[in-house]
Amino acid sequence: MRWLAMFCFSVAGAVFALEYGAEWILLPLLVLVLILTGVALLQHKRKRMIALVLAVGISFGSFYTLLYDTLFIRPAQQYVDTEQTISVTLCAYPEEHIYGAKCVAYMDVGAAAPMKVQLYGDETLLSGKPGDRVTTDASIRSASLIRDEKITSFSAKGVHLLLYGRGELQIVPAEHLPVQYLPLQFSRLLQEKIEQIYDGEARILMTALLTGVRTEFDDALYSLLSETGLTHVTAVSGMHCVFLFAMIRMLIKNRRRATMVGLPVLFFFMLMVGVAPSVARSCFMLALLSIAPLLHRENDSITTMSFALLMILLHNPFAIASISLQLSFLSVAGILLFSERICRVLQSWFIRDQKRHNVLQVVFSAISVTCGASVFTIPLSAYYFDCVSLISPVSNLLCLWAISFAFGAGALSVAVSFLSVPIAGVIAILPAAALDYFMAVVRLLAEVPHHALYTSNPYLVYWLFYVYAMIGVLFLMKNRRTRTRLMAGGLASAALCLVIALPILANGRTSMTASVLNVGQGEAVLLSSGGQTALVDCGSSNSWINAGTVAANEINTLGQTELTYLILTHYHNDHANGLETLFSRVKVRYLVVPKLSDAESWQMQSEVLALAEQYQTEVLLLEAEEHIAMGKAELTIFPPMGTGSNNEEGLSLLCSCEGVDILVTGDMDGETEQVLLSSAVLPELEVLVVGHHGSKYSTSEALLETLSPETAVISVGSNSYGHPAAETLVRLEEAGADIRRTDWNGKVSILVY
C-alpha cells in the first residue's frame, strides 16, 4: 500500500509547488517528470516502479490543478473589479462583522459549478440562513489578490471572490432548509443547548469544542492559548474526531457495528463544524483505519494519511495553502515518525521499577506524542505566528486529559439537555469544572518567564536551524548512544539560554532603543531605556496583523513583562485596536491619552478606559505638556494642538536621549503641525516618525524645514489610501532625510549608546 502513499504525496508536492512557486514553476515540474520517466526506462523492478509512481503523481497533480483553475476559477475573473447586481445563495449562517455582517455563499459565475464567495453587507444580512437567496448591488474583488498582494486564506477555504454589498439587500427565504444544511442547523441547535446549561468561559469553550464555533473568542483568549501552545485543543480538529470515535467504540463493543455507526456520525460531525482540513483529514484516516481490518487489508497510517490528503486536494487544490491543513498533517507525520522513538528513549532512561511502569508509561506516551507532533509544526508556527511555545509539552501534559474529559462529558450533558435541561445542568458541573481547571492552568503557565519565544528575537531563527540540523544528524546516525543524545540536548539547551539572553544584554548596553514596529497600516513605536519601556500607539487596520501581539512579543523579547507607559496619540483603530491583546500579555502601569473635546471617539475612549480599569492601570488624561523621565531618556508629551477631527485632537511626543531626538506626531495634518511648531520648543531631529503613515496632508514643508530630520520612518502597510503619498516622499527626499518604511524594511530600530 506504500505505492499509494508515494503517489498521493507526489500529487501533493506538485500542487504545493504550483501554489507557492512562481509562474514558471510548471517548466521545472515538466523537466522533473521527464527525468523520472527516463530513470524508469533505465532501471529495473523496484526503482523503475518508484520513478514511474513519482512521475505519474507529479503529472496528475500538475494537470489536475491547472484543469481545476481553468474550469472553476478563470470564469470568475470577468467579475473581478466590477460593480453589478448579483444574486447568491447563502451556504452558511451569517456572522457579525466590524462593518455589518458577512456570510459565505454560492454564486453562478458560468463555471463548471457554482463558486463559493464571501458576501459582506449591513445588519440585514444577519436575518438570512442557509439556502436563502440574496440579491444586492455589489463591488466584486478577487479573494486571492488584494492590492497586488497574494492572499491564500480565502482560496484555501474555497472562496475566490469577495462581494461588498453597496445597496439594500433583498433576501428571499428558502421554502425549506435544503438537506445539505441540516448539519449546520443541528450545530445551531447544539449552541442553543450549550447556552442553556453553561455560562461564562465554560460556555465559550464548550461551544468551540462541540461545534467548532469560536466567534466569542476575544483577542486576549486567543493570545493566552497561542502563548501556551494550546490553540489546537480548543479548535475542532482531528483530536476531537478521535475522542468522538473512541466514545462510540466504548459504547458499542462490536468493532463492525461501531464502525457502521461511528463513520456516519464522524462525517456528520465534519459537515457540522464546516469541513475544516484537520477534521476532514481525521475523518478519512479513521474511516480507512477502521475499514481496513474488516476487509482484511493492511492497516498503514502513512498511507491513510496520504490518501486523506489526496481527497482534500481533489475537492480543492488551493487547500494546500491552509495553515490548518499544514499544521494538521505535519503534526500527524511527526507523531507517526518520532513519537514511538521518543517513548522508547524515555522508557530506557527512567523505567527501572516495574511497579511504576503503568503510571510512567501513560506520562511518557503523552510526552512523546506532544513532542512528536511538535517536531514539524514548531518551524511552521514560528513562520505563521512568529511564536515558539516552549511551555507547550507541559501545557499539553497538564491539559489534554481535561479537554478530552470536557469533550466527552460535555457531549453527554448536551445530549441529556434534549430530555431534561435541569438534569443536563447537573451533569454539566463536572465538564465545566474541567474547563475551569484548563483555563487556570493556561493563565498560570502564561505567567512563567520565557514560556514562549518570538521571531522578533533575531537569534531564534538561527537556533531553530541549529536544532533541526542536529536532529537530522542524530536521525541519520547509525550508532545513537545515550551520551550523544544527552550532549546534543545539553548543547541545544545552552544555545537556547543564549538566545534568550542576547537581546536582553544588547538592550542593556544601550542608553535607549527606539523601534518603529512593523504592524502594517498602523503605528506602534516602542521606546526602552534604563529598564523602563514606553509604547506610543498600538493598532493596525490590516486584519491579519494584531499590533498588540507584535508589541507584546517585542517587549517580552527584551526580558520585560511590564510596560511602564502606554501613550495613545488618538482614538482610531489603526492606532489603538491592539490594546486588548497588549493588556492581556503585559502589565501596563500608566496609560496616557488625550482628553476629547467632542464625541467623535467617545465610544473607543470608553472602551480604552474600561480596559485600563479592568487591568488596574493608572490613567492620565493629558491636557497640558508633560515631561517624563524614563531611564536616560526624557519624554515630552504635547497635548492636543488642533480642533475638529480626531487626528487633530491627538497627542504628539518628543523623545530625547544623549543628543538624539525622535518626534512622533500621530496623524496630525500640516495645519496642526504648524501649531505644534509655534507652541513648542523643538530641536532639530535625528528621527521623525512620519505623520499619518505618509499621507500627503501631513509632514509639511514647514515641519521639515524647521526640524531637518536626518531619518524619516514611515509606519505603513497594505492600504487603499495611497500611503505613503508621492508628494510626501518627494518632500522628504528634498529635505535630505533618509527614508525607511516598515512595509519594505520591517521593524526599524534606532540604538542610542
Side-chain angles (χ1 to χ4, degrees):
M1 290 181 71
R2 287 295 173 97
W3 298 115
L4 177 60
M6 194 177 297
F7 171 77
C8 294
F9 284 132
S10 59
V11 171
V15 175
F16 185 88
L18 290 171
E19 175 66 15
Y20 285 98
E23 294 181 358
W24 45 263
I25 197 67
L26 189 61
L27 180 59
L29 288 176
L30 177 61
V31 172
L32 181 58
V33 169
L34 293 175
I35 292 173
L36 289 170
T37 304
V39 170
L41 294 175
L42 297 175
Q43 298 297 326
H44 300 282
K45 296 182 179 178
R46 183 176 177 80
K47 291 183 179 179
R48 171 184 290 179
M49 190 65 178
I50 291 174
L52 280 175
V53 170
L54 292 176
V56 172
I58 295 171
S59 301
F60 179 82
S62 303
F63 174 76
Y64 186 80
T65 302
L66 296 175
L67 180 65
Y68 187 94
D69 183 74
T70 301
L71 294 179
F72 295 97
I73 310 304
R74 291 191 182 276
Q77 298 305 308
Q78 60 181 314
Y79 293 91
V80 174
D81 296 329
T82 65
E83 294 192 13
Q84 53 187 285
T85 302
I86 54 95
S87 291
V88 299
T89 302
L90 302 185
C91 60
Y93 283 99
E95 300 175 6
E96 291 184 358
H97 186 259
I98 187 172
Y99 297 116
K102 64 179 182 179
C103 189
V104 179
Y106 282 114
M107 176 179 171
D108 186 1
V109 296
M115 171 171 284
K116 192 178 285 187
V117 299
Q118 179 101 307
L119 173 65
Y120 296 92
D122 57 29
E123 290 80 0
T124 307
L125 185 59
L126 293 173
S127 63
K129 61 183 184 300
D132 289 356
R133 192 75 176 167
V134 177
T135 302
T136 184
D137 294 331
S139 173
I140 306 176
R141 299 289 181 265
S142 169
S144 57
L145 195 66
I146 299 177
R147 290 191 287 273
D148 298 326
E149 184 174 348
K150 185 177 180 180
I151 302 295
T152 60
S153 56
F154 288 107
S155 57
K157 299 175 183 176
V159 174
H160 298 283
L161 289 176
L162 304 179
L163 313 182
Y164 298 93
R166 299 304 189 197
E168 182 180 353
L169 282 85
Q170 297 178 349
I171 301 178
V172 179
E175 294 183 3
H176 55 82
L177 185 72
V179 66
Q180 65 265 33
Y181 301 126
L182 287 177
L184 294 179
Q185 187 181 44
F186 185 69
S187 175
R188 274 295 180 95
L189 182 59
L190 288 184
Q191 293 174 50
E192 293 174 2
K193 293 297 182 181
I194 292 170
E195 191 167 351
Q196 290 177 359
I197 57 179
Y198 292 93
D199 55 20
E201 283 186 333
R203 176 181 59 80
I204 296 172
L205 291 170
M206 189 60 73
T207 301
L209 289 176
L210 297 183
T211 69
V213 176
R214 298 198 291 176
T215 53
E216 291 191 72
F217 276 40
D218 56 25
D219 291 340
L221 182 54
Y222 268 119
S223 179
L224 277 173
L225 296 173
S226 177
E227 290 285 298
T228 52
L230 290 169
T231 306
H232 66 287
V233 303
T234 58
V236 171
S237 62
M239 180 182 70
H240 300 84
C241 295
V242 173
F243 290 162
L244 181 60
F245 198 68
M247 289 168 56
I248 295 171
R249 289 291 299 270
M250 288 175 62
L251 295 172
I252 305 175
K253 301 299 182 182
N254 183 277
R255 176 181 292 182
R256 185 180 297 273
R257 291 177 181 173
T259 300
M260 292 177 63
V261 172
L263 293 185
V265 171
L266 270 182
F267 282 94
F268 184 88
F269 181 70
M270 179 183 73
L271 295 173
M272 187 185 77
V273 299
V275 199
S278 58
V279 177
R281 185 269 307 160
S282 183
C283 287
F284 281 119
M285 287 188 68
L286 286 170
L288 292 174
L289 291 172
S290 301
I291 292 172
L294 300 180
L295 300 178
H296 306 290
R297 299 299 301 273
E298 179 185 355
N299 196 337
D300 181 71
S301 298
I302 296 292
T303 302
T304 56
M305 181 177 70
S306 67
F307 185 74
L309 179 59
L310 179 64
M311 291 295 99
I312 293 172
L313 295 182
L314 287 177
H315 178 258
N316 175 24
F318 296 94
I320 196 71
S322 166
I323 299 175
S324 172
L325 179 143
Q326 294 174 11
L327 288 172
S328 177
F329 278 90
L330 287 177
S331 65
V332 172
I335 291 171
L336 295 177
L337 292 174
F338 296 103
S339 291
E340 188 176 344
R341 290 183 173 91
I342 295 171
C343 192
R344 285 201 301 266
V345 170
L346 292 174
Q347 289 173 351
S348 66
W349 286 357
F350 296 103
I351 294 182
R352 295 288 185 268
D353 185 357
Q354 193 63 28
K355 294 180 180 179
R356 297 186 299 163
H357 180 274
N358 292 335
V359 175
L360 290 177
Q361 182 68 31
V362 172
V363 174
F364 291 159
S365 295
I367 293 174
S368 61
V369 168
T370 300
C371 293
S374 301
V375 169
F376 295 129
T377 57
I378 283 177
L380 210 61
S381 296
Y383 178 76
Y384 284 124
F385 308 119
D386 302 319
C387 176
V388 173
S389 176
L390 301 180
I391 205 77
S392 177
V394 177
S395 61
N396 279 270
L397 183 63
L398 294 175
C399 292
L400 282 183
W401 72 267
I403 289 296
S404 60
F405 174 78
F407 181 84
L412 175 62
S413 68
V414 173
V416 171
S417 70
F418 286 92
L419 302 175
S420 171
V421 172
I423 296 176
V426 174
I427 298 174
I429 293 174
L430 289 178
L435 292 175
D436 289 341
Y437 161 83
F438 169 75
M439 286 308 304
V441 172
V442 167
R443 291 190 169 93
L444 179 64
L445 295 179
E447 296 295 326
V448 175
H450 308 297
H451 60 275
L453 296 182
Y454 316 97
T455 54
S456 54
N457 182 340
Y459 307 104
L460 176 60
V461 176
Y462 299 117
W463 180 78
L464 287 173
F465 274 112
Y466 166 69
V467 168
Y468 279 90
M470 191 159 54
I471 290 174
V473 171
L474 288 174
F475 191 76
L476 295 174
M477 286 176 60
K478 293 183 179 180
N479 186 12
R480 295 188 285 271
R481 298 179 179 177
T482 300
R483 185 174 62 181
T484 305
R485 295 193 186 101
L486 289 174
M487 185 180 298
L491 288 173
S493 300
L496 180 62
C497 293
L498 191 61
V499 166
I500 294 172
L502 283 175
I504 300 172
L505 295 173
N507 186 59
R509 290 175 53 234
T510 63
S511 296
M512 183 191 70
T513 300
S515 297
V516 181
L517 306 181
N518 183 17
V519 293
Q521 183 67 11
E523 184 167 276
V525 182
L526 181 63
L527 308 168
S528 174
S529 179
Q532 298 185 61
T533 51
L535 183 68
V536 184
D537 289 335
C538 183
S540 176
S541 62
N542 297 133
S543 59
W544 57 91
I545 298 175
N546 187 315
T549 297
V550 175
N553 290 354
E554 192 73 25
I555 293 167
N556 292 158
T557 297
L558 296 179
Q560 303 286 336
T561 57
E562 180 180 273
L563 179 64
T564 316
Y565 302 100
L566 173 59
I567 304 163
L568 291 188
T569 59
H570 61 291
Y571 301 101
H572 275 166
N573 278 330
D574 60 339
H575 290 252
N577 65 3
L579 296 190
E580 184 179 0
T581 301
L582 181 70
F583 273 97
S584 71
R585 288 275 306 275
V586 297
K587 169 66 177 175
V588 181
R589 290 184 61 189
Y590 302 102
L591 171 66
V592 184
V593 292
K595 187 171 183 180
L596 296 177
S597 63
D598 60 31
E600 181 187 346
S601 294
W602 279 0
Q603 181 178 352
M604 176 169 277
Q605 185 188 56
S606 63
E607 293 172 358
V608 170
L609 296 180
L611 272 174
E613 182 179 3
Q614 177 184 346
Y615 289 96
Q616 299 179 336
T617 297
E618 187 175 335
V619 178
L620 172 62
L621 291 169
L622 198 77
E623 295 183 89
E625 185 174 311
E626 185 79 21
H627 296 268
I628 298 174
M630 190 184 74
K632 296 181 180 180
E634 182 182 24
L635 307 181
T636 304
I637 308 175
F638 302 105
M641 296 285 180
T643 57
S645 74
N646 197 313
N647 290 345
E648 314 320 319
E649 294 190 3
L651 307 179
S652 49
L653 174 137
L654 177 69
C655 177
S656 303
C657 180
E658 304 289 353
V660 175
D661 297 294
I662 303 171
L663 180 66
V664 182
T665 60
D667 281 358
M668 65 171 56
D669 66 12
E671 292 183 6
T672 310
E673 288 173 354
Q674 188 63 52
V675 177
L676 175 64
L677 292 174
S678 60
S679 304
V681 178
L682 297 172
E684 291 190 350
L685 299 176
E686 278 64 42
V687 180
L688 171 67
V689 179
V690 175
H692 207 170
H693 322 289
S695 165
K696 65 181 179 180
Y697 302 108
S698 300
T699 319
S700 61
E701 290 184 10
L703 182 78
L704 295 174
E705 289 176 0
T706 304
L707 303 181
S708 303
E710 296 178 9
T711 301
V713 184
I714 307 175
S715 183
V716 68
S718 176
N719 67 89
S720 57
Y721 309 110
H723 295 164
E727 300 96 313
T728 304
L729 296 175
V730 169
R731 289 198 294 269
L732 290 169
E733 289 175 358
E734 290 178 347
D738 178 24
I739 302 174
R740 302 296 176 91
R741 297 170 48 167
T742 57
D743 58 340
W744 289 358
N745 305 109
K747 178 183 71 176
V748 179
S749 294
I750 299 95
L751 309 180
V752 181
Y753 292 94

